[in-house]
Amino acid sequence: MRLGAQMSAAGGLHEAFKRGHEADCDSMLVFTKSNRQWNAKPITAEDVEKVRQAAADYPQIDPVAVHASYLINVASPDETLWEKSYQALKDEVERAAAYALPLLTFHPGSHMEGDATTGLNHIGRALNRLLAETAVSAPGVTICLEVMAGQGTNLGYMFEHLAALLDSAGRSERLGVCFDTCHVFAAGYDLRSPTAYAQTLAEFDQVVGLDWIKCFHLNDSQHELGSRKDRHTHIGDGYIGLEGFAHFVNDPRWAEHPAHLETPKTEKDADGQEVDMDVENLARLRRLIEK
Ligand SMILES: [Zn+2]
């Protein structure tokens, strides 16, 4: 796997490359704007040039994937919020394209006071419009639906939801799936033993198709199998455990797939010193690789 982590873009997206290099990332995940705000400053030619230069300076960090804002909810039954979400999602895809970044992952959404079927229909409507409206502006960006934990009214926690969404958009090759280990586990799909891992992936293959997985989020889970709670923790410290992650990093099918940590950034050690947990979690993952 091309292991990495979510890296801060504070000070400009180009700064994330330096941080990714320092954390020894083979690839990384970034936000191109604040993940908790709707609006962003438009990207300038200077921004693009700085990122191009940073990518040239750190060619080993490849690919760089983008995560969309957490505010976006194209499953919303509120038409005003839906439109606002749709426009923000389209902007995310076009921002990724402006920076020549190949992957954009977003959370499919929550149906709120609606129901799951209607919510899935709203997401499908967004996908079709997005594919049409970004066909020229962002043809090189693969738009990935993230598997969710199923917290609250979140959709996308059942493999069947993802299959229905891909189907609703005609299985466009511009779409993909981001497989988040914490979310999948919290949604009720076991990953811990070799048998459980094989069964979960076989089920994904049957329902969705393994070829649709374009990237991974590697997070351990603070809560138990099927808890439907979305709380990430350090690799090996949660309910998935090290063995679960060993299956992923040793599976030849994922050898070239980007896989990113979204775990807490720092912890204090016994002496009260701050430890860079991305470095620690990446080391834990790499130790699991069988030579
Ligand atoms: Zn994730």
Side-chain angles (χ1 to χ4, degrees), residues 67 107 146-147 178 180 183 217 219 232 262:
H67 201 302
H107 295 172
E146 182 164 348
V147 187
C178 174
D180 184 311
H183 298 174
H217 291 168
N219 305 305
H232 302 181
E262 298 175 308

Side-chain angles (χ1 to χ4, degrees), residues 64-254:
V64 176
V66 180
H67 201 302
S69 163
Y70 296 131
L71 299 177
I72 293 170
N73 182 13
V74 290
S76 176
D78 176 330
E79 192 54 34
T80 306
L81 191 61
W82 187 90
E83 182 65 26
K84 192 174 186 177
S85 291
Y86 171 76
Q87 293 300 341
L89 181 56
K90 183 182 168 191
D91 190 44
E92 292 276 8
V93 173
E94 290 179 337
R95 290 173 71 86
Y99 286 125
L101 305 179
L103 294 163
L104 182 279
T105 291
F106 77 105
H107 295 172
S110 300
H111 65 70
M112 314 301 286
E113 62 274 20
D115 61 84
T117 307
T118 312
L120 289 169
N121 287 339
H122 286 311
I123 303 166
R125 177 161 58 102
L127 289 176
N128 280 292
R129 185 170 159 196
L130 191 60
L131 290 168
E133 292 186 359
T134 63
V136 175
S137 60
V141 179
T142 301
I143 302 157
C144 294
L145 298 150
E146 182 164 348
V147 187
M148 300 308 291
Q151 195 162 291
T153 66
N154 249 205
L155 296 165
Y157 66 93
M158 292 173 73
F159 296 163
E160 286 78 4
H161 290 172
L162 301 164
L165 291 172
L166 292 172
D167 288 346
S168 74
R171 294 258 168 183
S172 164
E173 288 189 348
R174 292 182 55 214
L175 296 177
V177 171
C178 174
F179 192 103
D180 184 311
T181 53
C182 170
H183 298 174
V184 167
F185 183 79
Y189 301 100
D190 203 354
L191 300 165
R192 293 170 293 187
S193 69
T195 316
Y197 173 77
Q199 273 174 2
T200 290
L201 288 192
E203 186 173 345
F204 190 96
D205 196 28
Q206 197 183 11
V207 176
V208 185
L210 288 178
D211 289 349
W212 291 91
I213 299 177
K214 304 300 177 194
C215 52
F216 290 85
H217 291 168
L218 297 182
N219 305 305
D220 210 331
S221 173
Q222 265 187 38
H223 294 281
E224 287 171 54
L225 177 68
S227 65
R228 291 183 59 179
K229 287 188 187 142
D230 181 3
R231 293 293 297 276
H232 302 181
T233 190
H234 304 297
I235 302 300
D237 289 358
Y239 281 90
I240 298 175
L242 289 175
E243 192 186 350
F245 291 96
H247 305 315
F248 287 94
V249 298
N250 290 299
D251 191 329
R253 292 174 291 188
W254 317 129

